[in-house]
Amino acid sequence: MANTIAVEEVKLVEKEEKMKIKLNSACHSLSFSVYIASRESGLTVDESRANSNTAYWQCMGAALPKSISAN
C-alpha cells in the first residue's frame, strides 16, 4: 500500500554506568563529605551545598601560605 512505514523492532539494552568522582585535593574530599553528611542529617540541598562550600573555602584558605612576599 502507499504511504506505509516499515516499523523495526527496537531492543532496549539496560546499561549500568558507574559514576567516578575525581577529587583533586583533600579540600574537595572534605567538601564532598560535608555535603553527604549534611544531606544525611536532613538538611536541604541548598543548605548542604552552603555547608559544603564553606568547608571547601575554609580548607583552601588554611592551605594558603600565611605570608606572601612580593619581591
Side-chain angles (χ1 to χ4, degrees):
M1 291 188 165
N3 297 329
T4 59
I5 300 173
V7 177
E8 294 181 21
E9 184 178 331
V10 178
K11 293 183 181 179
L12 297 177
V13 178
E14 188 173 324
K15 182 179 179 183
E16 181 180 329
E17 293 185 27
K18 295 183 180 181
M19 183 187 307
K20 293 182 181 181
I21 299 172
K22 183 177 180 182
L23 301 175
N24 295 330
S25 70
C27 293
H28 283 112
S29 180
L30 173 68
S31 173
F32 184 72
S33 296
V34 167
Y35 179 83
I36 296 300
S38 295
R39 290 294 291 148
E40 288 176 348
S41 69
L43 296 180
T44 66
V45 170
D46 288 335
E47 292 168 330
S48 299
R49 188 178 298 134
N51 286 347
S52 174
N53 287 338
T54 299
Y56 176 78
W57 289 111
Q58 286 178 346
C59 178
M60 290 299 288
L64 293 175
K66 298 301 178 201
S67 64
I68 300 173
S69 62
N71 291 331

